């Protein structure tokens, strides 16, 4: 963990989902720079995580797009404002600084001092589903991981993968099909019973590799971590559906049980919540705290609909309110991107001929 001086910014945006990304754009048009934090290792929130390849038909002016394409376009749209992106970090703490700004910190030790905060946290931070095992924390990031950055480090190792969905089976397949020099000595998928929730093609490939002996499956519930005298993880104790516990040798345990959104720290910030959603007004999308805005799926107000279109509108009005908050007493003029030379300069686009 690193703890450096806080990054000073006009706006801190919590959540790089579609609405957080559009908030960056709208803030940028109003000359407020932004830093963005997301627990996921990539931008896009639900669009990227839950339906990257599914079609979306109700974005104005875009008859059809996909979750991934929409996110790519939103990232591209916000790019002229050069937001600082802090991915793979959970925004954990948020408190008012004595000078009126917001002091916020992530679980990785990154800190921010922001004049305004826009919470675009959706259904909460997407965090990996885990298993309850005593001592798991001690091995996290080393012999137990939720994602694999470098498969080559597993060459010649005993690898156990926990999970029953595509993400787990795909991981097992990718390791089994790695070049011989990078392949683990043994790859074993574990799930409490022999039933998988994976696409037909993935399942077929998994079973073929299993029949070839390139990977293995053991049914059972992880019950304990078995450590060597030096503290290293050496086996996973498994309770099979019937019979005695078995210890499976383990150099690396990959937990691949997918992600689930958790509201987590937002509960601790003393903000009014109704059914796990933040209460805001509909003129500024501000919470009860001046300078603290909330937009997108995380908010509730009379008539709220959890739609992308609604989130984009909320982000726009929140940005106008944020500009008024940061520059009190100065009018916040509405300018059209079509005709405003000032906005063209901010966007870095050539001034169109009159
Ligand atoms: C299957 C499916 C299909 C859909 N189809 C449509 C459709 O056709 N049309 C439509 O309009 N809408 C659709 N939606 C709804 C739409 O996806 C949501 O309204 C939209 O994603 C909300 O965007 P958001 O940015 O508010 O939240 P999200 O997309 O949920 O993004 C929030 C982000 O905040 C991050 N975050 C939260 N808390 C923290 C924290 N403390 N620290 C760090 N990061 C944090 C999360 O990791 C996440 O990435 C669909 C949703 C689903 C699930």
């Amino acid at each position: 963990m690193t703890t450096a001086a806080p990054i000073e910014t006009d706006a801190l945006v919590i959540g790089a989902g579609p609405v957080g990304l559009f908030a960056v754009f709208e803030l940028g048009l109003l000359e407020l720079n932004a830093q963005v934090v997301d627990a996921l290792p990539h931008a896009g929130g639900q669009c990227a995580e839950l339906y990257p390849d599914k079609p979306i038909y109700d974005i104005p002016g875009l008859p059809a797009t996909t979750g991934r394409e929409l996110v790519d376009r939103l990232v591209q749209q916000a790019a002229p404002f050069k937001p600082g992106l802090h991915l793979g970090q959970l925004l954990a703490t948020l408190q008012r600084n004595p000078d009126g700004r917001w002091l916020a910190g992530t679980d990785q030790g990154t800190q921010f001092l922001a004049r305004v905060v826009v919470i675009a946290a959706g259904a909460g931070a997407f965090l990996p589903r885990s298993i309850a095992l005593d001592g798991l924390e001690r091995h996290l990031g080393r012999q137990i991981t939720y994602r694999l950055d470098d498969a080559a480090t597993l060459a010649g190792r005993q690898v156990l993968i926990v999970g029953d969905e595509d993400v787990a089976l795909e991981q097992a397949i990718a390791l089994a099909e790695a070049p011989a020099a990078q392949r683990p000595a043994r790859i074993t998928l574990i799930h409490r019973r022999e039933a998988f929730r994976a696409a037909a093609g993935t399942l077929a490939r998994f079973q073929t590799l299993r029949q070839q002996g390139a990977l293995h499956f053991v049914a059972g519930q992880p019950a304990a971590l078995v450590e060597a005298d030096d503290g290293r993880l050496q086996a996973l104790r498994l309770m099979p559906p019937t019979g005695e516990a078995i210890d499976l040798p383990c150099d690396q345990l990959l937990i691949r049980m997918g992600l689930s959104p958790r509201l987590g720290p937002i509960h601790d910030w003393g903000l009014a919540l109704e059914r796990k959603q933040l209460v805001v007004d509909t003129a500024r999308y501000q919470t009860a705290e001046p300078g603290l805005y909330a937009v997108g799926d995380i908010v509730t107000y009379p008539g709220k609909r959890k739609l992308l279109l609604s989130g984009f509108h909320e982000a726009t009005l929140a940005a106008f309110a944020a500009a008024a908050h940061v520059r009190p007493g100065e009018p916040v003029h509405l300018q059209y991107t079509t005709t405003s030379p000032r906005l063209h300069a901010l966007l870095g686009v050539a001034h169109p001929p009159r």
Side-chain angles (χ1 to χ4, degrees), residues 39-299:
L40 284 173
H42 49 76
Q46 293 175 47
C47 295
E49 199 52 46
L50 301 181
Y51 57 101
D53 300 314
K54 286 204 167 64
I56 309 174
Y57 299 109
D58 56 352
I59 304 296
L62 271 181
T65 183
T66 62
R68 183 178 287 117
E69 188 191 349
L70 179 66
V71 170
D72 287 348
R73 286 171 182 264
L74 287 163
V75 168
Q76 193 188 342
Q77 194 171 27
F81 303 113
K82 301 184 176 58
L85 266 186
H86 308 268
L87 299 174
Q89 302 197 34
L90 178 75
L91 203 289
T93 58
L94 180 66
Q95 65 200 63
R96 180 84 73 177
N97 211 40
D99 67 3
R101 289 184 291 174
W102 292 94
L103 180 62
T106 75
D107 62 346
Q108 309 289 310
T110 311
Q111 294 208 62
F112 305 91
L113 253 185
R115 300 165 86 174
V116 296
V117 173
V118 180
I119 305 176
F126 278 103
L127 296 172
R129 289 196 189 94
S130 194
I131 36 180
L133 285 175
D134 282 348
L136 184 133
E137 289 290 325
R138 276 200 299 280
H139 301 282
L140 261 189
R142 290 190 290 276
Q143 283 183 276
I144 303 180
T145 58
Y146 298 115
R147 65 172 193 252
L148 184 59
D149 294 326
D150 183 6
T153 57
L154 302 185
R157 303 289 176 116
Q158 303 272 350
V159 176
L160 304 183
I161 303 168
V162 184
D164 66 327
E165 297 181 22
D166 285 288
V167 62
L169 274 68
E170 282 165 9
Q171 178 74 85
I173 293 167
L175 291 175
E177 292 180 336
Q182 294 180 12
R183 216 171 290 152
R186 191 176 177 90
I187 305 158
T188 308
L189 185 80
I190 295 162
H191 182 54
R192 61 190 155 76
R193 60 196 178 97
E194 190 165 346
F196 307 103
R197 293 180 291 166
T202 307
L203 191 51
R205 185 70 195 134
F206 175 79
Q207 297 295 19
T208 302
L209 288 164
R210 198 175 154 197
Q211 280 154 18
Q212 292 169 354
L215 47 78
H216 308 270
F217 174 76
V218 178
Q221 189 74 37
L225 298 171
V226 182
E227 293 174 349
D229 291 343
D230 63 1
R232 277 185 64 79
L233 177 63
Q234 67 175 25
L236 177 70
R237 186 156 300 153
L238 211 63
M239 284 306 301
T242 55
E244 306 263 298
I246 44 172
D247 286 357
L248 294 178
C250 174
D251 295 313
Q252 195 74 36
L253 177 61
L254 305 177
I255 302 176
R256 290 289 181 281
M257 297 167 62
L259 301 170
S260 71
R262 263 169 273 162
L263 213 49
I266 293 175
H267 277 298
D268 306 331
W269 299 341
L271 300 168
L273 284 160
E274 265 177 26
R275 294 187 183 178
K276 298 188 179 173
Q277 287 169 285
L278 292 168
V279 178
V280 288
D281 69 63
T282 52
R284 297 167 299 176
Y285 293 93
Q286 189 171 259
T287 64
E289 291 288 334
L292 186 56
Y293 306 90
V295 292
D297 278 12
I298 189 70
V299 301

